[in-house]
Amino acid sequence: MAIKVGITGGIGSGKSVVSRLLGIMGIPVYISDIEAKRITNTDEVIHRELCALVGEEVFQNGELNRPFLATYMFGYPERTKEVNGIIHPQVKNDFRQWAGRLSRKPLVGMESAILIESGFRDEVDVLVMVYAPLDIRVERAMRRDGSSKDLVMQRIEAQMSDEVKRSQADFVIVNDDETPLIPQVLELISLLSKNNHYLCSAKK
Ligand SMILES: CC(C)(COP(=O)(O)OP(=O)(O)OC[C@H]1O[C@@H](n2cnc3c(N)ncnc32)[C@H](O)[C@@H]1O)[C@@H](O)C(=O)NCCC(=O)NCCS
Ligand SMILES: Nc1ncnc2c1ncn2[C@@H]1O[C@H](COP(=O)(O)OP(=O)(O)OP(=O)(O)O)[C@@H](O)[C@H]1O
């Protein structure tokens, strides 16, 4: 059975960078944002329920109208909760199937900014929080997405605070543009892989 490692942290903290490093080191990571996009575009139940909640315009030519849904939900906690309630149960099912297919791997990851909020804490064995100070996160997200500060702050407000995330995490990876990132990721992998041996002895 694979050890499942959750990777969480607020928008712009650097989860995707950490997930990419894990991927390079042979650890498959389920990227919730990407999978949620795929599922939302293909699942008929989600399609029906989102149309009923938000209106038919939420899909255009069969594809989710992302800016429309973002404008509808961010800044309105009740709406965010309802949209999450439609999408997250399907993502959870999909993650379970994905992890089941990879059960022979020693380690697999699941990345989500809202891993705890969306009820995934019990789906993973170990939880890692990627941390960066708020001002750095805002800067990074604005630069990456070409978004305004207000839009980034709306998403931050739809996410759990860093304090609560930290209290539920087993490890913290600091990605503050000062602390070296790769040694932390390597230490995490070596800690979780104590009983796995990748290197072959030259004598056998
Ligand atoms: C609202 C949507 C259409 C906006 O799409 P967009 O391309 O602008 O953003 P993207 O999906 O790439 O997300 C970027 C970041 O926004 C934040 N974010 C996304 N969804 C949420 C949410 N429901 N609550 C809080 N923050 C969120 C995360 O930090 C995420 O990494 C999209 O985020 C969405 O469908 N969200 C609901 C599904 C979901 O919760 N996905 C996140 C992981 S399961
Ligand atoms: N240590 C770093 N040095 C330089 N740039 C970084 C660093 N960490 C992250 N970034 C950049 O900051 C931006 C945000 O990082 P990333 O996409 O990994 O965040 P995230 O936590 O996955 O955010 P989201 O919740 O939106 O998915 C990206 O453009 C990334 O390349």
Side-chain angles (χ1 to χ4, degrees):
M1 207 48 176
I3 298 176
K4 295 183 210 117
V5 187
I7 302 135
T8 195
I11 186 167
S13 55
K15 298 177 297 297
S16 306
V17 174
V18 169
S19 298
R20 242 177 282 138
L21 289 170
L22 294 175
I24 288 166
M25 287 184 266
I27 299 165
V29 182
Y30 185 95
I31 312 290
S32 304
D33 287 344
I34 295 177
E35 303 307 333
K37 275 175 202 167
R38 174 183 56 79
I39 295 165
T40 305
N41 277 327
T42 53
D43 188 285
E44 281 178 19
V45 178
I46 295 183
H47 190 288
R48 203 179 329 117
E49 292 187 1
L50 276 184
C51 285
L53 180 71
V54 185
E56 299 283 333
E57 320 86 290
V58 74
F59 285 92
Q60 269 182 343
N61 307 319
E63 290 263 309
L64 183 68
N65 183 343
R66 310 183 68 73
F68 183 84
L69 183 58
T71 307
Y72 170 84
M73 65 185 258
F74 292 119
Y76 303 92
E78 273 310 310
R79 292 179 179 181
T80 305
K81 207 167 143 191
E82 284 180 307
V83 172
N84 288 347
I86 293 172
I87 299 174
H88 293 173
Q90 312 297 338
V91 176
K92 191 181 276 188
N93 274 341
D94 187 68
F95 170 69
R96 285 183 181 162
Q97 287 174 25
W98 176 89
R101 290 194 294 275
L102 293 171
S103 62
R104 283 164 191 240
K105 291 267 180 190
L107 292 174
V108 298
M110 126 70 77
E111 182 211 303
S112 171
I114 48 172
L115 188 147
I116 302 168
E117 298 93 309
S118 37
F120 277 84
R121 180 61 188 95
D122 292 338
E123 301 292 319
V124 295
D125 304 299
V126 178
L127 183 60
V128 178
M129 175 191 174
V130 183
Y131 169 80
L134 183 65
D135 53 335
I136 294 183
R137 285 169 45 206
V138 173
E139 270 296 311
R140 284 177 183 161
M142 285 169 64
R143 201 171 329 123
R144 184 195 57 191
D145 300 336
S147 284
S148 68
K149 187 172 179 179
D150 282 353
L151 288 181
V152 175
M153 288 310 295
Q154 266 187 359
R155 291 197 184 201
I156 287 176
E157 278 153 23
Q159 301 177 353
M160 194 177 251
S161 74
D162 277 356
E163 290 68 30
V164 180
K165 280 199 186 98
R166 191 184 277 259
S167 72
Q168 303 231 6
D170 299 295
F171 302 102
V172 176
I173 288 181
V174 178
N175 182 31
D176 59 359
D177 293 340
E178 283 179 20
T179 317
L181 187 59
I182 292 176
Q184 298 177 75
V185 175
L186 286 177
E187 192 174 337
L188 174 75
I189 296 174
S190 84
L191 220 133
L192 297 175
S193 316
K194 272 198 303 274
N195 300 318
N196 299 320
H197 301 286
Y198 295 102
L199 201 58
C200 297
S201 161
K203 305 286 176 236
K204 283 185 190 163

